[in-house]
Amino acid sequence: MEKLKVGIVGSKFAAMLHAESYKRCPATVMHSVSAIDDLDEFGEPYGIPNRYSDYHEMFEKEDLDLVSVCVPNYLHKEVVIAAAGAGITGIICEKPLATSIEDGLEMVSICREKQVKLMYAEDWIFAPALVRAKQICQEGGIGDILYVKAKETHNGSHSIFAQKKEYCGGGSMIHLGIHPVGFLPWLVEAKITQVMGLVTGGSELNLLHKNYTGEDWAAALIVFDNDTRGFVEGNYIACGGMDDKIEIYGTEGNIHIDLTQGSPLKVYSRSGYGYAVEKADFTHGWTRPAVDEFMSLGYVNEIAHFVDCVRNNTEPPSGTTGEDGLRALAVALAIYESAEKGHLIQIHDP
Ligand SMILES: NC(=O)c1ccc[n+]([C@@H]2O[C@H](COP(=O)([O-])OP(=O)(O)OC[C@H]3O[C@@H](n4cnc5c(N)ncnc54)[C@H](O)[C@@H]3O)[C@@H](O)[C@H]2O)c1
């Protein structure tokens, strides 16, 4: 079988995560990239020969099999719809699927109509530690799941687009909390049907980042349709590197997962060294450097799975279809609505 010709839209952080994963996927060739900046800085080291400042032109001129959409949230809709219009078989869309339900619905329905595979890049679903945790749950290791708790937190986004509500669709819940919100239904095998949210108000009302127009702290109590209870959190006030933690409580036991700071390595360095963990400020003193974040956070397995889906014309795993992305978006937006109205919100299928 010929290698899949891949196009990447975007040239920065998320594009790098995808490119590092394609590098480890022998069934693909990184063929083209489109972005409004850093085209050569990104294209050169990954050996991507075709570079475009306009993704419409890239879709038109190159015969791509698969596209990674790694642009700011507000552009997901237009890029996905353009890729579907160009007849590209597989589209991988970064989280969150979109910034509004209307946009997400349009993306899902156009891709369905054109028989294009829209795959939602919730990498946690492919993270080896989380896959193993689910397996233990399925083996009955902790009995029936009663309560789940999950968070992604760090000290603020590197992306200027993530700091502005108009580009991001919100703040730390839609940008970070969307991981737990997308992952937990896959783990629990149930839908989130009720949320009770609390968020800071953006700008002056934020705890720390007054220049972010979206919230810098957000949390919600959630209820699943099988009666499991949960708690999700996303915030930009946590120092010391990205902190992703998951706790699962069952009738017969518990599982605690430290996805980002639980490295087997423990280093003491007087001089410092290259890199420890995403969003960590420095590498002096005692640190717990990640061994391979591309693998441990799920990106490598995610890309390999999505590539298989396109090559074998199979459906993406549960939790990673366009519809799953839309459902996660509905939950994140319901958390905002709940925080604004001060009461619990029921969630219906979008
Ligand atoms: N799954 C994850 O863990 C993860 C991590 C980081 C970011 N993301 C997601 O990836 C997406 C991008 O985030 P980022 O951190 O790379 O953002 P960024 O701000 O670092 O980069 C944005 C990229 O979009 C490109 N871009 C902007 N407008 C464009 C246009 N009109 N046409 C083509 N390219 C355009 C820019 O050139 C740049 O390369 C976001 O949706 C974000 O939520 C996911």
Side-chain angles (χ1 to χ4, degrees):
M1 210 184 263
E2 280 197 18
K3 290 184 182 222
L4 292 189
K5 271 201 239 171
V6 173
I8 299 176
V9 189
S11 58
K12 292 197 178 162
F13 190 71
M16 176 276 293
L17 298 173
H18 285 233
E20 287 294 331
S21 304
Y22 285 120
K23 237 169 63 176
R24 301 189 203 183
C25 185
T28 60
V29 55
M30 284 185 269
H31 182 272
S32 309
V33 58
S34 167
I36 53 167
D37 51 15
D38 284 2
L39 260 182
D40 293 334
E41 290 83 344
F42 178 76
E44 202 65 47
Y46 289 113
I48 307 176
N50 307 295
R51 301 170 200 164
Y52 293 87
S53 55
D54 179 351
Y55 61 84
H56 292 281
E57 196 187 339
M58 176 173 89
F59 294 156
E60 204 176 292
K61 288 198 176 151
E62 306 296 346
D63 186 22
L64 300 170
D65 301 302
L66 178 61
V67 165
S68 275
V69 179
C70 301
V71 290
N73 305 349
Y74 78 109
L75 291 174
H76 290 182
K77 173 190 160 186
E78 62 173 63
V79 179
V80 165
I81 289 176
I88 297 168
T89 321
I91 304 173
I92 303 175
C93 182
E94 260 307 335
K95 58 77 190 168
L97 185 72
T99 53
S100 72
I101 296 294
E102 296 70 33
D103 283 3
L105 275 170
E106 205 177 326
M107 292 157 75
V108 167
S109 87
I110 287 180
C111 288
R112 206 181 288 146
E113 182 192 309
K114 295 196 176 293
Q115 301 192 331
V116 165
K117 256 181 228 310
L118 177 59
M119 297 170 284
Y120 175 60
E122 180 39 72
D123 52 278
W124 281 27
I125 286 175
F126 303 94
L130 297 177
V131 171
R132 180 77 182 110
K134 182 166 179 180
Q135 191 183 34
I136 292 167
C137 293
Q138 287 172 327
E139 288 167 5
I142 62 164
D144 295 328
I145 298 176
L146 301 172
Y147 173 52
V148 287
K149 226 176 135 180
K151 68 171 183 180
E152 176 159 293
T153 66
H154 59 61
N155 62 354
S157 180
H158 57 271
S159 169
I160 186 71
F161 297 105
Q163 300 172 16
K164 304 288 171 217
K165 203 172 167 180
E166 64 198 289
Y167 302 126
C168 184
S172 57
M173 179 50 70
I174 198 167
H175 212 62
L176 306 187
I178 197 81
H179 285 296
V181 158
F183 156 79
L184 287 174
W186 170 81
L187 176 80
V188 173
E189 296 181 358
K191 286 180 180 174
I192 298 170
T193 49
Q194 295 177 47
V195 298
M196 179 73 214
L198 200 58
V199 307
T200 53
S203 303
E204 280 308 310
L205 297 173
N206 276 345
L207 294 177
L208 182 65
H209 297 279
K210 310 287 185 193
N211 58 331
Y212 287 21
T213 55
E215 81 283 356
D216 65 355
W217 179 93
L221 296 166
I222 57 177
V223 181
F224 293 82
D225 62 2
N226 66 356
D227 230 23
T228 303
R229 306 299 153 123
F231 178 78
V232 291
E233 187 185 354
N235 81 53
Y236 287 132
I237 59 164
C239 304
M242 189 160 81
D243 193 8
D244 291 5
K245 287 200 176 67
I246 299 96
E247 297 172 16
I248 313 167
Y249 297 89
T251 51
E252 303 291 329
N254 316 318
I255 304 177
H256 289 203
I257 303 137
D258 185 345
L259 200 57
T260 48
Q261 303 199 343
S263 172
L265 296 179
K266 200 170 169 192
V267 175
Y268 180 82
S269 172
R270 282 179 160 170
S271 50
Y273 57 95
Y275 176 87
V277 166
E278 184 181 332
K279 308 278 190 306
D281 303 311
F282 49 74
T283 54
H284 290 82
W286 282 110
T287 50
R288 304 289 300 269
V291 176
D292 180 356
E293 282 176 335
F294 304 120
M295 178 56 80
S296 60
L297 289 170
Y299 306 113
V300 172
N301 292 339
E302 169 186 275
I303 291 296
H305 265 80
F306 289 158
V307 165
D308 276 354
C309 288
V310 174
R311 279 165 71 88
N312 304 319
N313 193 19
T314 51
E315 282 306 300
S318 109
T320 66
T321 63
E323 286 81 356
D324 294 321
L326 184 56
R327 179 102 207 154
L329 175 65
V331 173
L333 296 179
I335 290 170
Y336 289 141
E337 187 186 344
S338 164
E340 196 188 325
K341 294 184 173 162
H343 60 72
L344 196 134
I345 298 286
Q346 301 277 346
I347 301 165
H348 305 284
D349 279 332

